[in-house]
Amino acid sequence: PRRRDDLTLADGRFVLLEYIEEHPPLLSAPGMASRIVTYYRPRGPRDKKKSLVDFGQVDGQLRVLAEEEESPFFGDIEPGQAVTGIENNMFIAPVFKQPLSPTDFLLVRGRAGGWYIREVPQAYTVGQLFPR
């Protein structure tokens, strides 16, 4: 999309994000992109986990941290541990999958006045924001 008017939830993949902070200090405006990234620190050179599926994750991308590389979050990521987060140019924050009910859906109103019912593919709770 080139303009704000081009954005729609009528089609394409989306996820819902719920912030734990009552008043998050930073929020993205419509059209600003964020990435879901799973950070993983291997146990050693023979650790072969190289896919999001290995961590029960389907959204985003996998980033393997080197042994000496610093954790992008508050606190450390121990060897053998994976932490999923959301990142953009303003902040990074851990996210946690939330269970969905089969009755959860999103109702979207189209520009022409039509309505679309969308299944919610995934919902996440967003932890404490770490400004960049």
Side-chain angles (χ1 to χ4, degrees), residues 9 14-19 36 59 86 95-98 100 104-106 118-126:
L9 278 174
F14 70 95
V15 297
L16 294 181
L17 301 170
E18 179 181 5
Y19 292 83
I36 295 176
D59 295 312
I86 183 169
V95 295
F96 306 92
K97 275 187 174 182
Q98 295 301 305
L100 292 170
D104 289 345
F105 63 91
L106 183 68
R118 298 287 313 271
E119 181 180 343
V120 178
Q122 187 60 60
Y124 293 94
T125 298
V126 179

Side-chain angles (χ1 to χ4, degrees), residues 67-89:
E67 185 177 330
E68 67 284 347
E69 196 171 353
E70 193 173 305
S71 168
F73 305 107
F74 293 119
D76 196 22
I77 299 175
E78 298 296 324
Q81 183 182 15
V83 177
T84 301
I86 183 169
E87 65 177 29
N88 56 40
N89 290 337

Side-chain angles (χ1 to χ4, degrees), residues 36-110:
I36 295 176
V37 180
T38 299
Y39 293 91
Y40 176 66
R41 188 176 309 280
R43 288 190 168 101
R46 295 186 181 187
D47 193 339
K48 299 295 182 200
K49 292 185 179 176
K50 300 289 184 198
S51 166
L52 287 173
V53 177
D54 294 335
F55 304 102
Q57 184 72 350
V58 295
D59 295 312
Q61 61 191 43
L62 177 65
R63 177 147 181 254
V64 178
L65 297 173
E67 185 177 330
E68 67 284 347
E69 196 171 353
E70 193 173 305
S71 168
F73 305 107
F74 293 119
D76 196 22
I77 299 175
E78 298 296 324
Q81 183 182 15
V83 177
T84 301
I86 183 169
E87 65 177 29
N88 56 40
N89 290 337
M90 294 187 303
F91 65 84
I92 186 168
V95 295
F96 306 92
K97 275 187 174 182
Q98 295 301 305
L100 292 170
S101 168
T103 58
D104 289 345
F105 63 91
L106 183 68
L107 186 62
V108 180
R109 191 180 95 169

Side-chain angles (χ1 to χ4, degrees), residues 1-10 29-32 111:
R2 299 264 182 211
R3 300 184 335 246
R4 183 177 176 174
D5 291 345
D6 294 337
L7 296 175
T8 179
L9 278 174
M32 294 177 73
R111 284 185 207 88

